[in-house]
Amino acid sequence: MQPEAIELTLPAGREWHAVARLVLGGVADRLNLSFEDLDDLQLAVERLLVEAASQDTVMLQIDVVDHGVRVGVGPLAERTIADALQGPDAEPGELTLRRILQTVVDSFGVENTEGGIVVRLQKAVRGR
Amino acid sequence: MDRARAEVDRDLLRRYHEQGDVGAREELVERHLPLVRSLARRFAGRGESLEDLEQVGAIGLIKAIDRFEMSREVALTSYATPNVVGEIKRHFRDRGSAIRIPRNLKELSAKLGKAMERLTALQGRSPTIAELATELDTTPEQVLEALEAGSARSTVSLSGGPDADDLDPMEVVGEEDTGYERAEDRASLEPAIGTLAERERDILRMRFEDGMTQSQIAERVGVSQMHVSRLIRKSIDQLRDELL
């Protein structure tokens, strides 16, 4: 079976986030992801793209996996994001990037690469 | 926002407005040019040079300083931000270079919210893009474009949305702070939560602490699911902008 994957390198500026959202939307349509699940995934990716604002470009690696989609965002030069994502859970009343990702995707992880960190997000397609 | 910085601003504003000290006004402009540059950068890549946008934004800053009322309990950065953004947006409109959303997409965007509510109620779950397309007798691609055309979903849209309650995020973009050195804080939005309106705070709590879905929040708060989505984005953007 052919791997179903998309790689997208885009400028890191906010004006390009719409392109990322549209691509994710296209993938979500093909996977029958609900609007809410798509919106969650888009939010997660947007928050990571915002963290890449000081870079020239950022890459999205989108892989269709069993019953879902996996999205890698990076490399992000700002390595403190890794600490924030791997740190302790947010306290009540506190909103952190980690808390946001915990809420909107099914799982996430951080991978260290030469150029920075890559955050991997996974979102499942819910049964209908 | 750095309290000491706000107090210096206030002192300069007082000197300018109450004593006519134009030197204080110039100092205020200098102090807030980084804010103007930061806001101008958000509109970069749209056919206008960054330098031009910064100059236009600086006009907005000067207007904000001149119009500031000392009786207002608000920081100059909070007051100036919408003025600067407004001036830049006016510039784009005057130059005719703002993004134009085709009428059919605007109309489709306006119908999406209602279709979403209808299908959610009917099916007891959030609809897929394909279901929305079928409901609206259009293609999934058009639905995705219409979602994007709903201005508040785009963090840099220059156009107003089709619904009266649509929020243009550039109107609510947060202020720039001087704390660039606080890189360790970049992932924590907590310190700025107090700056949000009560409804926005409640929505963030329901979504990120109580784990409620957008549909559940929409029902609780009495707005559409798409509006909840917009408010969440707007609030997070605002929080982050307060910090950086």
Side-chain angles (χ1 to χ4, degrees):
Chain A
M1 182 180 161
Q2 262 191 327
E4 295 181 305
I6 296 170
E7 272 189 16
L8 174 69
T9 301
L10 67 163
R14 280 188 182 222
E15 64 271 29
W16 295 95
H17 291 189
V19 175
R21 283 195 296 268
L22 282 170
V23 171
L24 290 170
V27 174
D29 177 43
R30 278 145 190 84
L31 297 180
N32 263 332
L33 223 58
S34 71
F35 169 77
E36 278 200 34
D37 284 341
L38 164 62
D39 198 60
D40 280 347
L41 184 60
Q42 288 174 327
L43 178 63
V45 170
E46 279 169 39
R47 295 328 307 168
L48 294 169
L49 291 179
V50 164
E51 299 297 340
S54 60
Q55 304 175 198
D56 291 335
T57 61
V58 64
M59 195 171 88
L60 297 189
Q61 166 82 45
I62 305 171
D63 293 291
V64 176
V65 295
D66 274 350
H67 310 297
V69 60
R70 191 164 54 214
V71 183
V73 185
L76 304 173
E78 182 54 73
R79 289 181 187 270
T80 54
I81 297 166
D83 299 334
L85 290 179
Q86 293 167 325
D89 283 341
E91 298 291 327
E94 188 183 30
L95 185 58
T96 62
L97 184 58
R98 177 177 165 85
R99 168 63 62 87
I100 292 171
L101 296 192
Q102 282 174 327
T103 305
V104 298
V105 294
D106 293 297
S107 63
F108 64 90
V110 178
E111 184 184 318
N112 275 299
T113 69
E114 206 170 296
I117 62 159
V118 176
V119 181
R120 306 238 178 248
L121 312 166
Q122 186 143 343
K123 188 81 179 166
V125 179
R126 321 259 169 237
R128 317 236 90 86
Chain B
M1 169 87 195
D2 182 349
R3 191 181 295 270
R5 184 175 163 81
E7 282 174 10
V8 172
D9 282 348
R10 206 151 183 89
D11 184 51
L12 289 167
L13 283 163
R14 195 172 294 115
R15 278 167 49 195
Y16 172 53
H17 282 284
E18 294 176 3
Q19 299 162 26
D21 182 349
V22 291
R25 182 191 193 224
E26 284 170 18
E27 196 175 334
L28 281 165
V29 172
E30 282 296 319
R31 286 168 62 80
H32 292 279
L33 279 180
L35 169 67
V36 172
R37 291 191 194 106
S38 166
L39 294 171
R41 274 199 299 274
R42 295 170 189 225
F43 290 89
R46 295 177 173 272
E48 297 290 321
S49 77
L50 184 58
E51 193 180 5
D52 284 352
L53 295 178
E54 287 176 1
Q55 285 182 4
V56 171
I59 293 170
L61 170 63
I62 291 166
K63 285 181 179 175
I65 293 169
D66 287 352
R67 291 172 185 161
F68 191 87
E69 293 170 23
M70 294 305 297
S71 58
R72 295 175 72 115
E73 291 296 322
V74 61
L76 178 60
T77 43
S78 302
Y79 182 71
T81 295
N83 281 275
V84 172
V85 169
E87 201 67 33
I88 294 173
K89 287 171 69 175
R90 258 191 302 282
H91 174 74
F92 272 105
R93 286 180 186 134
D94 291 347
R95 297 289 296 263
S97 54
I99 290 173
R100 303 278 182 224
I101 297 173
R103 177 174 290 276
N104 64 330
L105 272 188
K106 276 189 180 177
E107 288 170 356
L108 186 57
S109 179
K111 291 176 186 169
L112 264 175
K114 287 191 172 63
M116 191 98 65
E117 284 179 45
R118 208 161 44 236
L119 288 175
T120 302
L122 195 68
Q123 301 176 151
R125 60 166 173 81
S126 175
T128 65
I129 301 300
E131 288 166 345
L132 285 166
T134 303
E135 175 77 3
L136 294 166
D137 195 22
T138 185
T139 63
E141 288 76 17
Q142 285 276 295
V143 168
L144 291 170
E145 281 192 58
L147 283 170
E148 204 52 52
S151 69
R153 298 207 72 234
S154 168
T155 49
V156 290
S157 170
L158 295 167
S159 304
D163 300 321
D165 64 349
D166 269 347
L167 294 166
D168 185 334
M170 291 316 297
E171 300 287 9
V172 293
V173 70
E175 64 200 39
E176 183 181 62
D177 203 318
T178 52
Y180 293 106
E181 71 278 9
R182 292 181 302 161
E184 69 275 16
D185 286 348
R186 62 186 307 129
S188 173
L189 306 172
E190 185 269 341
I193 280 180
T195 64
L196 294 177
E198 191 178 348
R199 182 176 69 161
E200 277 76 357
R201 280 204 306 270
D202 286 345
I203 288 174
L204 289 184
R205 180 181 46 73
M206 285 186 256
R207 183 72 186 105
F208 296 106
E209 280 192 33
D210 303 343
M212 292 170 66
T213 65
Q214 288 182 11
S215 305
Q216 290 167 334
I217 297 169
E219 200 175 335
R220 173 82 65 88
V221 178
V223 299
S224 72
Q225 179 196 326
M226 285 177 72
H227 196 60
V228 170
S229 164
R230 293 185 191 113
L231 287 173
I232 287 172
R233 277 178 168 72
K234 185 204 90 171
S235 301
I236 295 175
D237 274 345
Q238 187 177 337
L239 292 179
R240 194 180 183 287
D241 287 336
E242 289 279 345
L243 287 173
L244 292 180

